[in-house]
Amino acid sequence: MQVKSELKQGKVNPSKEAGFNAFKMAQQQFDRIADKLNLDEPTRELLRNPLREYSFAIPIRMDDGTMKVFRGFRVQHNDARGPCKGGIRFHPQETADTVRALAMWMTWKCAVADIPLGGGKGGVICDPHNLSEREQEKICRGWVRQIARDIGPTRDVPAPDVMTSGQHMLWIMDEYQTIMGGQYPGLITGKPVELGGSRGRTEATGYGLVYILRELLKEQKIEITKSTASLQGFGNVAHYTAELFIEYGGTVVSVSCWDQNDNCTYSYYKQKGIDVKELVNITDRFGTIDKKQAEKLGYKVTPGDDWLTHEVDILIPAALEHSITVENVNDIKPCVKIVLCGANGPVTPEAEDILDKKGVIVVPDFLANSGGVVCSYFEQVQSNQNYYWTKEEVLGKLDNKMTDAFFKVWELAKRKKIRVSDAAYMIAISRVAEACKMRGWV
Ligand code: GLU
């Protein structure tokens, strides 16, 4: 198994504003809804902060014989509805606050999708681009050694996230099983299909976005076959979103990716529509698309945030957090009707206010990209039963879950005349608050 070819893009559009704090943004989003729901003080206090946090050192002997100490995190935001669930990110700019924000978003994500799991997230400050496979394996094993007693199938179930892959999950599982002395495939999700993974997991996040988009377009009376989209990113999420959207008859005019060599983002534009396979063929193991080859294939390649400025119906930020901000939101063309958030936290609350005033529907990340964790939930169920489903069965169940989640949110938004993201937050936060109350925590 190739580790690096599976890496999700990790360096797309790093936060531009110095001082941007994802956790503050997550708390700001929470406070806004807590006010609307009239949540009592103890419930607010409980939900606006993580239940538990772990921060630890991971000492590694590097390939050149030197020792290096990496910093690892796991944040368990809330487990009132079930074991914590959420990925592990490898990122050079990882911070405790980013992990806190992402853990909180996982709680809302599992709740809005109505799966019996809570929210967690992990991370290691490191850059896999500069690490060998052996060094990455040691970081994975070192991470587990620090946290083994506090994770597990009934406590907290990790998964892949930015720059981690199925191979990383297997190293983590293997180390955990060595420590615990038994087979626990339900410890972790996003495993390769050959070793306890679920069919459909690789496609799940991107396909989930498109299942929701399909329903939203129907509601908006827009024919999918006549609709156009521009995507930020060309990692796992963007790739499978584009694939299914094109299969349904839509046109993707542009994708973007971080260029490892030039240290900046490029957009790849083709008015008659991109071809996912042809771009995959010229993408290197770090996720960078070859500019010269792309130009030969008829793509217009431009540096910067051009993906956001195209005349399309739908924008899909599917890279990292903090992509659409007050600084670039006004570059979005008036014809854009939908912003579908594939990444976690790509639109700042201020930018969302502006989009809302312009009548753009923003489908929030924790609803739009919940297909990944829903399929992770299916993987956990299969792993715990040691009985595996067909791809059709998995994707059929995923479609049902995503469609149900979307309509619960959409109906509330229509009934109360509120924005989609507020409706999604209200459903998710109410469900978690209710579980905390039922348990007698608040
Ligand atoms: N990392 C993915 C997310 O942010 C998946 C998490 C999971 O499957 O547990 O949704």
Side-chain angles (χ1 to χ4, degrees), residues 85-87 106 109 121 159-161 189 201 344 372-373 376:
K85 187 83 194 78
M106 283 309 301
K109 196 181 293 194
K121 203 80 173 195
D161 204 283
T189 61
R201 177 65 184 84
N344 291 317
V373 76
S376 271

Side-chain angles (χ1 to χ4, degrees), residues 131-205:
L131 294 165
S132 70
E133 291 198 11
R134 211 160 62 146
E135 289 163 344
Q136 292 184 51
E137 175 176 352
K138 286 182 186 170
I139 292 178
C140 287
R141 293 185 186 277
W143 188 88
V144 182
R145 284 199 295 276
Q146 293 287 24
I147 191 94
R149 309 274 156 201
D150 299 298
I151 57 172
T154 60
R155 300 190 71 165
D156 181 3
V157 183
D161 204 283
V162 173
M163 287 202 272
T164 54
S165 68
Q167 175 63 81
H168 296 92
M169 301 304 108
L170 287 186
W171 288 325
I172 291 174
M173 182 185 83
D174 186 69
E175 189 69 21
Y176 180 84
Q177 296 189 344
T178 306
I179 295 167
M180 305 311 264
Q183 294 276 346
Y184 296 97
L187 160 76
I188 203 156
T189 61
K191 304 182 292 295
V193 171
E194 306 88 297
L195 215 50
S198 174
R199 291 179 180 86
R201 177 65 184 84
T202 315
E203 296 88 346
T205 312

